[in-house]
Amino acid sequence: MDFIDKFIRQHQLPEEFRDKALRWYKPMAEAISLAHDKRCKPLLIGLNGCQGSGKSTAAELVAEFLTLYYDKSAVSFSLDDFYLPKAERQALASRVNPLFTTRGVPGTHDMPLLLNTLRQLKGGESTSVPSFDKAIDDRDFPEHWRAINSPMDIIILEGWCVGIEAQLDTSLISPTNALEASEDPDGHWRGYVNQQLKGDYQQLNNRIDLLIMLKAPSFQYVYEWRLEQEQKLRQYLSDNHLDATAMTDAQVEHFTQFFQRITEHGLKTLPDKVDLLFNLDENRVIYEMAYPKGVIQ
């Protein structure tokens, strides 16, 4: 398992991550591999996890397990890679609601591009996965995109809202938090977001062969985990005398409110629908793995 040590070094993870990798992520890879053996076709794996849950790390490591340990061709990427370019989000904000200036919620992704990319990958075609530069809040130039030129057995797509279905329209009437109450009093923003979940995002859900969830105890921990990340970033920037800035505590609170409604809806509705569920404690430590729909076939 030397590649785990290399992975830990590359991602600057604590040494105890090795136990997590072997105890939880290797069984995840094994379950995916067995499902591929049974179905004999390229599989799209949806990996859902709220912000700070570790889904990006999990997706990348599981893809390496599949490639190096289970002899599968595998690739992982994020829903974040498919954010709309800044100019398109600004146009959406001008046309629909200013809240769409902030990337993240359904409606701020280039879903036609994502669906076409997945179609090409599942069809064994060569394609390129876009990249998004969060430092400048814009999409990278196409020459920086990741080229995939060989057929894939396993495609892992991770994202905070992957697999989550739309809410009932009646659930949108009352605001969830202060942001919705003050900046979306008529519900137009959340209504548009919900409409997106009914459209292209549901098309994405329909294409997922196996859905996996890293489940947080509650949304409160999403805020606390993000706050912890920003505090560490602030300290790092200070220690290294860098000019970049991290969000203040108040900015973190405001930012996470964009995701509260859908995250809480997902935490409530998704666990019984996924093929593989990993329960996290308040410290983001996995303590249980379950098969809500029965053993994966």
Side-chain angles (χ1 to χ4, degrees):
M1 295 295 177
D2 290 341
F3 78 92
I4 298 180
D5 293 329
K6 181 180 178 182
F7 188 90
I8 288 173
R9 290 194 301 270
Q10 287 179 336
H11 294 267
Q12 298 181 321
L13 298 167
E15 181 56 37
E16 54 265 28
F17 181 82
R18 165 178 279 273
D19 177 67
K20 183 177 185 178
L22 293 173
R23 185 177 181 185
W24 303 113
Y25 295 152
K26 184 173 178 291
M28 186 191 301
E30 182 177 13
I32 294 171
S33 176
L34 289 173
H36 179 262
D37 290 341
K38 292 175 181 177
R39 302 189 190 191
C40 300
K41 67 173 186 177
L43 297 184
L44 173 59
I45 311 301
L47 178 58
N48 173 280
C50 62
Q51 294 180 339
S53 62
K55 60 188 179 299
S56 299
T57 302
E60 188 173 341
L61 180 59
V62 168
E64 290 204 27
F65 264 121
L66 287 163
T67 301
L68 300 174
Y69 201 77
Y70 294 99
D71 196 28
K72 305 291 184 184
S73 57
V75 63
S76 71
F77 49 88
S78 175
L79 185 63
D80 291 359
D81 296 327
F82 291 84
Y83 280 131
L84 289 170
K86 190 172 186 176
E88 293 187 31
R89 296 199 325 275
Q90 289 174 335
L92 178 65
S94 177
R95 187 175 73 252
V96 181
N97 187 290
L99 290 174
F100 283 109
T101 302
T102 300
R103 66 179 186 265
V105 298
T108 63
H109 304 95
D110 190 336
M111 294 303 290
L113 177 60
L114 172 57
L115 292 171
N116 187 57
T117 301
L118 294 174
R119 179 191 61 77
Q120 291 173 322
L121 286 171
K122 292 199 75 173
E125 302 175 35
S126 296
T127 189
S128 294
V129 176
S131 59
F132 192 90
D133 188 343
K134 294 182 178 179
I136 61 171
D137 193 25
D138 213 343
R139 180 180 290 170
D140 272 336
F141 293 110
E143 55 264 33
H144 297 152
W145 294 11
R146 180 169 35 149
I148 301 174
N149 297 317
S150 57
M152 290 290 114
D153 297 319
I154 310 293
I155 304 138
I156 304 175
L157 175 68
E158 57 91 356
W160 74 277
C161 61
V162 167
I164 298 177
E165 298 180 347
Q167 292 182 279
L168 295 174
D169 291 340
T170 53
S171 300
L172 307 177
I173 297 172
S174 299
T176 292
N177 51 38
L179 179 141
E180 291 188 357
S182 63
E183 300 184 52
D184 186 40
D186 60 1
H188 190 52
W189 173 72
R190 55 187 181 267
Y192 187 92
V193 169
N194 201 55
Q195 196 62 36
Q196 302 309 299
L197 286 174
K198 294 179 182 179
D200 285 346
Y201 291 79
Q202 186 58 46
Q203 285 192 44
L204 169 62
N205 294 343
N206 294 341
R207 296 187 187 189
I208 292 173
D209 295 295
L210 294 177
L211 184 58
I212 300 172
M213 183 180 194
L214 298 175
K215 182 181 177 296
S218 72
F219 181 78
Q220 175 60 28
Y221 292 103
V222 177
Y223 165 70
E224 293 180 8
W225 294 344
R226 187 54 191 258
L227 192 64
E228 178 185 316
Q229 288 177 330
E230 292 298 322
Q231 289 169 342
K232 287 181 178 179
L233 176 59
R234 196 178 303 130
Q235 187 63 51
Y236 173 82
L237 294 172
S238 175
D239 291 345
N240 291 275
H241 308 289
L242 299 174
D243 292 334
T245 58
M247 285 191 284
T248 65
D249 292 1
Q251 287 172 328
V252 171
E253 181 178 11
H254 179 264
F255 179 71
T256 55
Q257 288 183 55
F258 280 82
F259 309 94
Q260 182 174 354
R261 171 179 291 276
I262 295 175
T263 299
E264 289 184 335
H265 177 57
L267 289 172
K268 180 180 179 181
T269 60
L270 209 54
D272 292 338
K273 299 178 181 178
V274 301
D275 297 283
L276 191 54
L277 177 69
F278 292 85
N279 284 307
L280 310 180
D281 67 15
E282 63 274 13
N283 296 312
R284 287 176 283 192
V285 175
I286 299 172
Y287 66 88
E288 181 183 42
M289 178 175 73
Y291 296 86
K293 294 165 59 177
V295 178
I296 296 173
Q297 297 296 322

